[in-house]
């Protein structure tokens, strides 16, 4: 999948979303929302972000997103890949820092399309 095709998908989840406004998990979530995306925050340690429900896992979401943006450390990324595979999610977006070699290898192994880039740079 290309960056352009991924950005054309309008239902996203952000794993590692947070209410801490100085963190990329917050900035990415807000940016996607401001650009008109239907975006779901995922973080088992947060209950809400700016009044929006934050979900503990991808499986807890009310819909299956087309793209999952990863803003998490390696261990959480590896676990999320398993969940993406189980849910039939085909595309993941790995933010800088989330694109560890083990995460890339596992995504490739289970057949996920992945993008390594900063969504904040790619959104117009």
């Amino acid at each position: 999948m290309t960056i352009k095709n991924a950005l054309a998908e309008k239902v996203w989840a952000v794993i590692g979303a947070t209410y801490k406004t100085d963190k990329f998990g917050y900035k990415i979530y807000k940016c996607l929302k401001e650009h008109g995306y239907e975006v779901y925050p995922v973080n088992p340690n947060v209950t809400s972000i700016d009044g929006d429900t934050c979900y503990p896992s991808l499986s807890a979401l009310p819909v299956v997103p087309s793209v999952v943006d990863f803003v998490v450390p390696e261990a959480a990324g590896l676990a999320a890949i398993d969940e993406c595979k189980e849910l039939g999610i085909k595309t993941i977006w790995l933010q800088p820092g989330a694109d560890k070699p083990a995460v890339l290898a596992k995504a490739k192994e289970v057949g996920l399309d992945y993008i390594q880039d900063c969504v904040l740079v790619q959104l117009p």
Side-chain angles (χ1 to χ4, degrees):
M1 171 152 313
T2 66
I3 288 172
K4 183 179 178 181
N5 289 345
L7 292 175
E9 297 292 337
K10 292 300 180 185
V11 182
W12 286 51
V14 178
I15 295 187
T18 181
Y19 59 85
K20 297 176 183 173
T21 58
D22 61 325
K23 300 287 186 185
F24 282 107
Y26 179 84
K27 293 175 183 178
I28 291 162
Y29 173 69
K30 288 298 285 187
C31 182
L32 287 165
K33 279 191 73 167
E34 288 168 358
H35 279 82
Y37 289 81
E38 180 181 340
V39 57
Y40 296 90
V42 177
N43 186 330
N45 303 311
V46 176
T47 55
S48 70
I49 299 172
D50 293 345
D52 298 333
T53 299
C54 188
Y55 297 87
S57 66
L58 291 170
S59 301
L61 295 177
V63 300
V64 176
S66 301
V67 181
V68 178
D69 191 297
F70 283 50
V71 195
V72 290
E74 183 175 341
L78 292 170
I81 286 173
D82 288 333
E83 205 174 6
C84 287
K85 183 68 175 167
E86 289 168 18
L87 293 171
I89 296 165
K90 305 237 185 287
T91 304
I92 62 174
W93 188 298
L94 301 168
Q95 293 296 136
D99 57 350
K100 301 293 186 210
V103 173
L104 297 175
K106 187 167 187 178
K108 199 176 289 187
E109 176 188 314
V110 302
L112 296 180
D113 288 328
Y114 62 86
I115 294 167
Q116 293 172 261
D117 208 322
C118 180
V119 78
L120 296 173
V121 172
Q122 292 300 331
L123 279 172

